[in-house]
Amino acid sequence: MKKSFLKPIFSAIAVLFFLSSCKSPNEEPKSIQEETVGQQEQITDVLPSWNDTKNKQAIIDYVNAVTKEGGAEFIPIKDRVAVFDNDGTLWSEQPAYFQLLFAIDQVKKMAKDHPEWEGKQPYQAVIDGDMTSLSKQGMKAIVTLIMTTHAGMSTDDFEEEVVNWMATAKHPKTEQPYNQMIFQPMLELLEFLRKHDFKTYIVSGGGIDFMRAWAVDAYGIPEDQIVGSVIKTQFEMTDEGPRLVRLPELDFIDDKEGKPVGIQHFIGKKPVFAAGNSDGDLQMLQWTASSDYKNFELYIHHTDSVREWSYDRGSHIGGFDKGWDEAVDKGWTIVDMAKDWSIIYPFEK
């Protein structure tokens, strides 16, 4: 389940070719059959990695309805705010939140300069690669690792560490770079919304500076549209000039009830479209559902144990229990990965 800073402190290549309906002065009128074929081709080109299911159609219908000028459900451009969780929604989150895997790799890298870690937990478990022992040590151990690897350096140095890790680290199952473990269908959804003048935001429990180091290139979402958990920072004037230093203390956790708070604090508008995958996103979807405008709530259900992972209720990562119950009760859209997505990752194309 997404809680504390495990998830917190834990290009888009979408092809959207819209067929032109404009005719030249000399063009013969199309038959009804030709018009129907053209419409079908247009729908096919929207969200190409999504299978033609009711969930795909529901997204298209919603966007068409709220962007039709003069329509009863029209939403002004300034109010078209769409928010997306990151872990498990825009990229994978197994076998552990990727920000935690970054912290583990950083501890291994730093260990040679810290002989005092010898025999001391949770560092020894990481050095030994004993993830069973580490998991038994609970959240306190995770927070210790996060603070050790995320604090005590400037914001610029931290960004460099994340960028270098993204360029070299490989996922243990797919052996792909972590920034290729993003979901191709969600890249297409982000682009589809932006084509219709939605402003897309990440609202994640993951660290805001961790995400800003790579998510801009991965998703096409600028830094100022990324909301996440925040570590305290301090301004210092040094011989080399001013810098911001990261402190070993949390300032804000953008998870569960914190997500609507973060949306108000960083965005200042209630969303009309929200996507998540777990109970940690429930309050964000509830907040979106309270909009006076026609709104859309979407949950990603991990059902594909072959191409990705299959998990929901009771999962230690991305637990989907209360969120599932409310989504079914309220009629929210639940995307079935195995049925709704023809491919999962960009490298499968």
Side-chain angles (χ1 to χ4, degrees):
M1 185 174 292
K2 302 176 185 174
K3 59 183 181 179
S4 189
F5 210 52
L6 173 60
K7 174 174 184 179
I9 317 188
F10 295 103
S11 262
I13 313 175
V15 181
L16 296 168
F17 293 114
F18 288 90
L19 300 179
S20 171
S21 61
C22 300
K23 297 184 286 288
S24 66
N26 298 322
E27 184 177 350
E28 292 294 327
K30 291 183 178 180
S31 67
I32 294 177
Q33 182 177 6
E34 287 173 331
E35 290 285 0
T36 301
V37 170
Q39 291 169 1
Q40 290 174 343
E41 288 174 347
Q42 184 174 4
I43 291 174
T44 300
D45 284 340
V46 173
L47 308 177
S49 296
W50 294 66
N51 292 321
D52 290 328
T53 64
K54 65 177 183 179
N55 286 333
K56 174 179 177 177
Q57 193 61 53
I59 293 169
I60 295 172
D61 289 346
Y62 170 78
V63 172
N64 286 340
V66 301
T67 59
K68 181 180 179 181
E69 290 203 41
E73 297 168 321
F74 178 75
I75 299 177
I77 291 176
K78 66 182 180 63
D79 294 318
R80 294 179 198 171
V81 173
V83 293
F84 291 78
D85 170 56
N86 184 49
D87 296 306
T89 301
L90 294 179
W91 72 349
S92 289
E93 58 184 357
Q94 299 281 359
Y97 297 120
F98 295 170
Q99 190 169 351
L100 174 59
L101 298 179
F102 164 74
I104 289 172
D105 284 349
Q106 290 299 101
V107 167
K108 293 176 180 179
K109 177 182 174 181
M110 297 164 62
K112 64 180 183 300
D113 298 321
H114 292 274
E116 72 276 13
W117 289 352
E118 186 71 28
K120 184 178 179 180
Q121 297 294 358
Y123 306 105
Q124 191 62 54
V126 173
I127 294 169
D128 294 341
D130 188 353
M131 295 301 102
T132 300
S133 173
L134 179 62
S135 64
K136 289 180 180 179
Q137 295 176 50
M139 190 55 58
K140 183 178 179 180
I142 301 303
V143 172
T144 297
L145 296 179
I146 293 293
M147 290 305 171
T148 298
T149 57
H150 288 50
M153 68 182 81
S154 72
T155 52
D156 289 341
D157 288 343
F158 179 73
E159 180 179 1
E160 184 178 354
E161 290 290 342
V162 177
V163 169
N164 290 339
W165 182 76
M166 278 290 176
T168 57
K170 299 293 178 65
H171 188 273
K173 176 182 177 180
T174 65
E175 297 185 349
Q176 291 287 331
Y178 286 93
N179 58 9
Q180 287 296 303
M181 297 294 292
I182 57 181
F183 299 142
Q184 178 65 28
M186 297 303 283
L187 294 179
E188 295 168 1
L189 176 55
L190 288 169
E191 185 63 18
F192 179 53
L193 291 172
R194 290 194 287 258
K195 289 285 188 182
H196 288 80
D197 296 312
F198 281 80
K199 201 168 185 179
T200 55
Y201 292 83
I202 292 175
V203 179
S204 172
I208 192 168
D209 291 329
F210 177 80
M211 290 185 294
R212 285 175 173 173
W214 59 269
V216 176
D217 290 335
Y219 304 132
I221 296 177
E223 291 93 336
D224 61 351
Q225 290 171 220
I226 297 175
V227 180
S229 296
V230 181
I231 195 171
K232 285 189 176 181
T233 56
Q234 171 179 291
F235 177 83
E236 291 184 357
M237 180 59 76
T238 69
D239 292 339
E240 291 77 27
R243 69 175 192 160
L244 289 174
V245 177
R246 295 167 60 83
L247 304 177
E249 186 177 354
L250 288 175
D251 194 24
F252 172 68
I253 297 178
D254 190 51
D255 198 33
K256 298 185 177 178
E257 294 86 354
K259 290 199 172 189
V261 174
I263 289 169
Q264 179 60 31
H265 181 75
F266 291 96
I267 302 174
K269 278 184 179 290
K270 185 177 290 188
V272 296
F273 188 106
N277 78 295
S278 77
D279 289 352
D281 306 311
L282 176 58
Q283 290 81 359
M284 179 173 74
L285 271 68
Q286 290 172 330
W287 184 237
T288 302
S290 70
S291 172
D292 291 334
Y293 290 115
K294 182 178 178 64
N295 47 77
F296 197 98
E297 291 71 45
L298 182 150
Y299 259 123
I300 304 300
H301 187 196
H302 294 260
T303 58
D304 199 320
S305 60
V306 176
R307 297 182 299 172
E308 208 244 3
W309 286 269
S310 180
Y311 59 97
D312 42 54
R313 297 183 188 272
S315 174
H316 68 292
I317 295 174
F320 190 26
D321 193 333
K322 293 179 180 179
W324 173 273
D325 292 339
E326 184 147 353
V328 171
D329 181 61
K330 298 289 179 60
W332 295 346
T333 298
I334 302 177
V335 169
D336 184 321
M337 269 194 179
K339 295 179 181 179
D340 286 315
W341 291 356
S342 61
I343 65 172
I344 304 291
Y345 303 114
F347 57 81
E348 295 175 348
K349 292 180 68 177

